[in-house]
Amino acid sequence: MSRTEGKNLRVVVYEGAGSQPLPDEDRFAMISSLLAEGFEVTRAAPGGDVADADARTMLVLGRFDEKSPPTARGLDGETTVHFRDVTGVPAEGVVEVAREVRGETGARDLTAWKPWFPVIDYDRCTNCLQCLTFCLFDVYGVDGKQEITVQNEDNCKTDCPACSRVCPEVAILFPKYRKGPINGDVVRAEDIQREAMKVDISTLLGGDLYGSLRTRQRSARERFSTERDESKALLERKRCLGKLKKDLDIPDEVLMTLPSAEDIEARAERARLKAEKRRARSTTVADTKPAPTEDDWGI
Amino acid sequence: MSDAVTPRVLYCNCTYAKVVPEETKGDVLRQLCDSGVAFDAVADLCDMAARSDPALAKIAEGGPVRIAACFPRAVKWLFHGAKTPLPEEGVEVLNMREAPADEIVAGLLAATAPETEATAS
Ligand code: SF4
Ligand code: SF4
């Protein structure tokens, strides 16, 4: 199962009729431990509204007065509800119970990843497709309406916000980034002046980002092949890429795992052709469409 | 009888990163747990958006909701990116990255529905 597949188990903490109320401290310990383990948690309370069931499996935990059935069918006939009595079970034990049910039901079991991927602010995006051309890892694509979209979240390199730096509209967010406006904070006038930053990037890289990456990579590779001391070569490569890292905030790991120069070249060319073709197609469609008549406008 | 709809409450634990201050997160969750209100809590909205989790649709479609998470602009476009956009009205996002816990909790538990608050501008 990839990081972006599967469904988390939803756990309902039930304290209504037929179940003893939990002491505040126990409720908090239980819910926070479950969240830390990647479960979704619903605290049910009389008269309170929560999200409707969306999954086929659910786990209901409570300090039940009577022995509850281990599983039951939901009213829709499709949802399977598992009940577990957790009377006297401490928070860690409750997590263990939930893990067991997760294992039995095949729900997603994935706790160690940082969901890191670009999120597009379509109020700002102008569909210039620069991000598509820039990203080397096929994170971006276009949808049926030829609009930019994030299609392979899983391909994005953790902690690398480089594409957001090349977006002329400051339209790319990484919600888990430490600073604004990339983290979703309000875009201020000075951020918009990053149109100038775009220029800075090309200056930094001698006007041709891919060219620079290629050169840097080639020289690093040559050093690798001629130097027997690999760690020394690695250090040297890191030093060469330092400026790039500093200015674009690209993590070492990404710089060191860049595809081969040929791959980068082929990828850039493919993206450029794709974008050009799309632009040509949309121009042709727009040009061949007859001008709207007064009838079309309803006047 | 009042027509006011009590909005649902959603708490995002931001489990897979340390961008929301631990103290704020913990304090908000503790106060929610003690408040007696019903609420949904998710481990990490970003993770759910990356998987286009169908639960996001249930959150988006279920009427007024108050969300304790991070920057409203991020939350708005996360839902949008998962193809389950939040409605323009009746949604309020409270930012645990910036506001103190007490302010967040007061916003979550305020008596009436938020007045047509968009998620971001
Ligand atoms: S670079 Fe920015 S403005 Fe251009 S398509 Fe990508 S997100 Fe939209
Ligand atoms: S939406 Fe915000 S608070 Fe929630 S997981 Fe993502 S970055 Fe963290």
Side-chain angles (χ1 to χ4, degrees):
Chain A
M1 198 186 277
S2 89
R3 298 184 305 188
T4 51
E5 282 171 1
K7 180 89 189 71
N8 293 337
L9 181 63
R10 183 169 175 191
V11 181
V12 177
V13 177
Y14 179 73
E15 298 173 76
S19 182
Q20 293 299 314
L22 297 164
D24 286 349
E25 193 50 44
D26 291 4
R27 187 185 305 113
F28 170 71
M30 186 189 279
I31 294 179
S32 57
S33 308
L34 288 165
L35 289 170
E37 270 290 309
F39 293 100
E40 287 162 33
V41 186
T42 294
R43 194 255 163 131
D49 203 5
V50 292
D52 290 343
D54 67 288
R56 293 179 179 244
T57 314
M58 217 184 273
L59 168 63
V60 178
L61 300 175
R63 296 186 175 176
F64 300 118
D65 296 334
E66 290 175 23
K67 200 168 164 31
S68 56
T71 58
R73 285 254 162 227
L75 290 178
D76 58 3
E78 291 196 341
T79 316
T80 307
V81 186
H82 297 249
F83 293 89
R84 292 291 184 273
D85 182 11
V86 289
T87 307
V89 181
E92 316 85 69
V94 169
V95 170
E96 206 39 60
V97 168
R99 276 203 206 109
E100 265 167 35
V101 176
R102 177 165 68 187
E104 284 166 22
T105 58
R108 186 163 170 265
D109 175 9
L110 194 68
T111 47
W113 87 293
K114 183 171 178 178
W116 180 273
F117 56 93
V119 175
I120 299 173
D121 174 344
Y122 287 95
D123 282 345
R124 307 195 62 85
C125 173
T126 56
N127 207 34
C128 71
L129 303 183
Q130 292 215 37
C131 48
L132 176 88
T133 314
F134 177 82
C135 175
L136 303 171
F137 304 104
D138 271 334
V139 171
Y140 295 92
V142 287
D143 63 14
K145 287 185 275 172
Q146 312 301 340
E147 273 171 15
I148 190 77
T149 178
V150 177
Q151 63 181 15
N152 292 314
E153 286 88 349
D154 215 10
N155 281 5
C156 191
K157 300 296 165 193
T158 305
D159 292 333
C160 176
C163 56
S164 67
R165 300 244 185 249
V166 299
C167 171
E169 308 298 335
V170 202
I172 300 177
L173 320 175
F174 285 88
K176 291 192 189 304
Y177 191 64
R178 57 187 189 284
K179 285 189 280 185
I182 294 175
N183 60 13
D185 199 353
V186 176
V187 179
R188 298 184 172 82
E190 57 268 30
D191 299 315
I192 298 167
Q193 283 159 11
R194 286 195 322 152
E195 180 63 33
M197 164 130 186
K198 213 180 86 197
V199 177
D200 286 344
I201 290 169
S202 36
T203 317
L204 158 75
L205 297 169
D208 172 6
L209 173 64
Y210 292 109
S212 293
L213 287 174
R214 277 199 306 273
T215 314
R216 284 159 196 268
Q217 200 172 41
R218 197 174 303 130
S219 52
R221 216 174 24 208
E222 276 159 15
R223 266 194 302 278
F224 268 126
S225 57
T226 52
E227 287 188 42
R228 290 168 70 196
D229 181 351
E230 283 203 5
S231 61
K232 199 171 154 207
L234 204 67
L235 272 179
E236 174 64 6
R237 185 178 184 195
K238 270 192 181 154
R239 196 187 60 76
C240 287
L241 295 175
K243 191 164 169 50
L244 193 60
K245 173 181 153 60
K246 188 167 159 279
D247 286 44
L248 289 184
D249 209 3
I250 305 179
D252 282 342
E253 187 236 343
V254 175
L255 290 172
M256 303 310 283
T257 56
L258 282 175
S260 72
E262 293 72 26
D263 287 343
I264 293 174
E265 201 162 16
R267 154 95 192 118
E269 185 58 13
R270 268 203 313 277
R272 196 183 58 74
L273 288 174
K274 235 198 237 172
E276 253 173 29
K277 228 192 241 169
R278 259 180 218 116
R279 259 189 223 111
R281 208 182 302 145
S282 53
T283 316
T284 319
V285 172
D287 288 346
T288 52
K289 226 173 166 186
T293 63
E294 288 191 351
D295 278 349
D296 290 331
W297 291 108
I299 32 180
Chain B
M1 203 167 87
S2 160
D3 282 345
V5 184
T6 306
R8 289 164 301 136
V9 170
L10 175 75
Y11 164 88
C12 175
N13 196 54
C14 203
T15 295
Y16 303 121
K18 297 203 183 317
V19 291
V20 175
E22 288 294 321
E23 209 187 312
T24 310
K25 268 194 325 191
D27 218 1
V28 169
L29 183 60
R30 182 180 292 277
Q31 292 192 48
L32 263 184
C33 284
D34 296 354
S35 70
V37 301
F39 65 92
D40 287 300
V42 297
D44 196 293
L45 270 177
C46 286
D47 170 57
M48 294 172 83
R51 291 179 288 111
S52 297
D53 192 315
L56 293 175
K58 298 290 177 193
I59 295 164
E61 292 161 3
V65 61
R66 288 173 177 151
I67 304 174
C70 56
F71 291 101
R73 197 163 69 96
V75 175
K76 171 180 177 173
W77 295 111
L78 271 169
F79 273 81
H80 188 282
K83 311 280 181 290
T84 52
L86 287 165
E88 293 281 313
E89 293 181 1
V91 177
E92 188 178 4
V93 178
L94 298 137
N95 184 358
M96 295 191 289
R97 280 182 87 155
E98 299 223 306
D102 288 349
E103 196 179 300
I104 302 285
V105 175
L108 289 175
L109 304 181
T112 51
E115 299 226 341
T116 60
E117 272 174 275
T119 54
S121 55

